């Protein structure tokens, strides 16, 4: 359904702007061309598949965190599919192996248990092991795959050299919204621990968390690190960013439903921090709101809050030049990554619709959700 103006969109609604997406993709293409690395889209962070026709020409494929993401990559992206899971299930191996190019195991035990079966199903499948470089400068423990007792990836003491004959590649993922200097430190630790195995490998996957499209990210340093690594070891290098693809490419548009007062002014919106933008609570971070400032910075300060019964369903305190009115639109910036992939129907709240602003200015309302989506997830 084509709309000509955002005011015709249902509320709440996620709105992707294709021109902003292409800006990110052009930069990622530049990284690919200069470094000769392959770049995959991590579906975990961004899986708006109705935008994949725009992404396909720029990237080499998708990385999937299990069967369902692998199927989505296979059906809607149709380029390379790299599948990793903290643990694979026996009954899913056949399907995953048949639609993937790379399959990455989390432990030598899983590798040995499933490698033969997977290769029998798909002889072209390339098998790898995720390792834990035991170093990460990840800013938050919940996002630190190399933290204390992490289950993600095999540590050096748990490495099992008996898999080396069948293992084409090593994978690490140790970054979270980080710059290329953090990658440099991870690489030093990875090489120090696993360097002796790299000559046996066809590829090394540097994981995600590279904040390549963020303003100020040192792209040239990333390119240099990859070039040097490739020169040193003569292997294929993969990057699999998620957030960097969707970074600052669109908004979540919501509406003020009511304004209540309890020691301060509180605007209740038709969206939810808990259900639609959960990282604002989990990470936590403060989403930018278009036209708004910090609390007290402009004349009229409001707490923006969600329409669920969770007391903590709060986006934050923001100030505006003019008083908010019922029916006003509140536009949260940068809401494309780790939002719709995580959204829930908690409290029976309606999922935001999804729209894409095309390059010609048309706004394509690609998905609306209703009561059935809530009901069908329950029984
Ligand atoms: C989360 C994740 C990614 C993507 O991370 P971003 O921070 O979105 O770039 C890539 N690979 C693996 C294994 C992941 O767990």
């Amino acid at each position: 359904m084509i709309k000509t103006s955002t005011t015709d969109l249902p509320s709440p609604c996620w709105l992707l702007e294709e021109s902003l997406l292409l800006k990110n993709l052009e930069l990622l293409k530049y990284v690919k061309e200069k470094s000769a690395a392959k770049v995959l889209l991590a579906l975990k962070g961004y899986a708006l598949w109705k935008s994949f026709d725009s992404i396909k020409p720029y990237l080499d494929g998708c990385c999937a965190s299990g069967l369902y993401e692998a199927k989505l990559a296979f059906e809607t992206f149709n380029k390379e599919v790299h599948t990793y899971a903290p643990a694979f299930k026996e009954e899913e191996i056949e399907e995953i192996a048949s639609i993937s190019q790379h399959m990455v195991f989390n432990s030598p035990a899983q590798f040995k248990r499933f490698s033969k079966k997977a290769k029998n199903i798909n002889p072209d499948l390339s098998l790898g092991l995720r390792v834990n470089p035991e170093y990460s400068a990840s800013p938050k423990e919940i996002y630190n795959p190399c933290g204390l007792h992490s289950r993600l990836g095999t540590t050096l003491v748990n490495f099992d050299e008996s898999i080396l004959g069948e293992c084409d590649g090593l994978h690490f993922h140790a970054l979270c919204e980080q710059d290329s200097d953090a990658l440099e430190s991870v690489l030093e630790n990875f090489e120090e621990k696993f360097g002796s195995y790299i000559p046996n490998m066809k590829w090394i996957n540097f994981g995600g968390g590279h904040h390549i499209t963020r303003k100020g990210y040192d792209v040239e340093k990333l390119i240099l690190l990859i070039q040097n690594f490739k020169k040193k070891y003569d292997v294929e290098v993969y990057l699999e960013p998620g957030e960097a693809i969707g970074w600052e490419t669109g908004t979540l548009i919501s509406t003020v439903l009511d304004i209540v007062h309890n020691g301060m002014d509180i605007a209740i919106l038709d969206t939810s921090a808990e259900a639609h933008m959960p990282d604002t609570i989990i990470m936590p971070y403060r989403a930018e709101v278009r036209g708004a400032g910090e609390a007290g910075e402009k004349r009229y300060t409001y707490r923006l809050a969600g329409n669920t019964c969770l007391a903590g369903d709060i986006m934050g305190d923001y100030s505006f030049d003019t008083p908010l009115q019922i029916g006003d639109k509140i536009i949260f910036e940068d809401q494309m990554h780790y939002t719709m992939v995580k959204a829930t129907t908690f409290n029976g709240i309606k999922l935001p619709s999804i729209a894409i602003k095309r390059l010609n200015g048309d706004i394509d309302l690609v998905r609306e959700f209703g009561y059935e989506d809530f009901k069908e997830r329950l029984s």
Side-chain angles (χ1 to χ4, degrees):
M1 206 189 310
I2 305 291
K3 310 273 181 187
T4 47
S5 156
T6 54
T7 52
D8 299 332
L9 289 172
S11 180
C13 188
W14 278 298
L15 177 64
L16 168 74
E17 295 202 30
E18 228 169 34
S19 62
L20 300 175
L21 180 65
L22 291 181
K23 214 173 94 193
N24 286 350
L25 292 167
E26 287 291 345
L27 180 60
L28 293 167
K29 186 171 139 197
Y30 171 78
V31 169
K32 260 168 54 99
E33 285 173 357
K34 289 284 240 173
S35 69
K38 291 196 171 187
V39 180
L40 309 170
L41 162 65
L43 293 180
K44 185 183 80 190
Y46 180 94
L48 206 181
W49 52 270
K50 292 249 170 91
S51 68
F52 285 179
D53 282 344
S54 307
I55 301 177
K56 262 186 261 188
Y58 291 88
L59 302 184
D60 297 288
C62 296
C63 83
S65 332
L67 176 60
Y68 291 175
E69 285 187 358
K71 284 180 82 158
L72 187 68
F74 181 74
E75 284 176 11
T76 62
F77 208 97
N78 215 0
K79 290 178 94 170
E80 288 184 42
V81 180
H82 294 221
T83 310
Y84 156 83
F88 289 111
K89 290 176 103 165
E90 172 87 47
E91 64 263 34
E92 295 177 342
I93 297 297
E94 185 171 341
E95 204 173 357
I96 291 172
S98 65
I99 59 176
S100 301
Q101 276 67 48
H102 283 202
M103 203 164 159
V104 178
F105 297 96
N106 191 57
S107 70
Q110 280 246 316
F111 193 108
K112 291 200 278 197
R113 200 163 139 213
F114 296 128
S115 60
K116 298 242 167 6
K117 181 171 178 183
K119 281 289 240 189
N120 278 341
I121 287 154
N122 179 2
D124 296 330
L125 188 65
S126 192
L127 302 181
L129 180 75
R130 176 167 174 173
V131 296
N132 177 351
E134 293 178 77
Y135 170 86
S136 170
S138 180
K140 285 271 182 320
E141 205 47 32
I142 187 182
Y143 295 110
N144 183 359
C146 305
L148 186 67
H149 308 310
S150 173
R151 71 191 180 291
L152 303 170
T154 298
T155 56
L156 183 59
V157 293
N158 290 297
F159 196 90
D160 178 344
E161 295 188 355
S162 73
I163 68 165
L164 282 174
E166 290 179 292
C167 186
D168 292 332
L170 297 177
H171 174 293
F172 65 80
H173 170 72
L175 301 175
C176 174
E177 294 192 334
Q178 280 167 302
D179 212 319
S180 37
D181 58 346
L183 173 65
E184 186 173 34
S185 305
V186 172
L187 269 178
E188 277 167 21
N189 284 271
F190 168 69
E191 289 188 64
E192 189 188 303
K193 294 200 165 65
F194 300 97
S196 64
Y197 302 131
I198 303 175
N200 290 316
M201 301 299 157
K202 294 187 180 133
W203 50 265
I204 303 293
N205 188 322
F206 289 7
H210 315 275
H211 224 182
I212 302 168
T213 51
R214 191 198 59 221
K215 210 165 156 238
Y217 180 95
D218 190 345
V219 174
E220 297 307 321
K221 185 179 183 117
L222 171 67
I223 291 167
L224 204 63
L225 286 171
I226 298 168
Q227 284 171 340
N228 289 341
F229 193 90
K230 284 178 72 81
K231 215 176 290 164
K232 188 165 167 189
Y233 297 108
D234 190 27
V235 287
E236 195 80 73
V237 168
Y238 285 89
L239 304 179
E240 44 182 39
E243 179 155 342
I245 281 97
W247 180 250
E248 293 184 339
T249 57
T251 55
L252 174 61
I253 304 171
S254 64
T255 305
V256 176
L257 297 180
D258 196 13
I259 295 167
V260 297
H261 315 279
N262 183 5
M264 70 181 298
D265 297 329
I266 304 154
I268 299 176
L269 310 178
D270 63 353
T271 182
S272 162
E274 165 72 19
H276 303 157
M277 40 206 304
D279 281 358
T280 57
I281 295 175
I282 299 167
M283 199 157 186
Y285 79 98
R286 178 186 164 90
E288 289 292 319
V289 169
R290 193 166 296 178
E294 298 287 321
E297 188 182 331
K298 296 178 182 240
R299 182 138 174 224
Y300 302 96
T301 292
Y302 294 83
R303 174 157 296 173
L304 299 182
N307 195 18
T308 71
C309 301
L310 174 73
D313 191 353
I314 292 164
M315 293 84 174
D317 297 349
Y318 297 83
S319 64
F320 299 83
D321 289 324
T322 54
L324 289 182
Q325 310 284 342
I326 289 164
D328 279 356
K329 295 285 185 232
I330 299 291
I331 300 175
F332 292 95
E333 303 283 3
D334 193 21
Q335 292 300 312
M336 289 296 111
H337 51 87
Y338 292 103
T339 50
M340 53 195 94
V341 291
K342 287 187 145 193
T344 69
T345 54
F346 172 63
N347 233 198
I349 194 170
K350 181 177 183 278
L351 285 164
S353 306
I354 302 174
I356 302 176
K357 186 172 185 187
R358 304 290 184 190
L359 293 177
N360 66 4
D362 283 350
I363 295 171
D364 208 350
L365 180 60
V366 294
R367 186 75 158 97
E368 283 191 89
F369 299 94
Y371 166 66
E372 292 302 326
D373 298 290
F374 167 61
K375 184 184 175 192
E376 290 306 320
R377 295 186 57 220
L378 299 166
S379 193

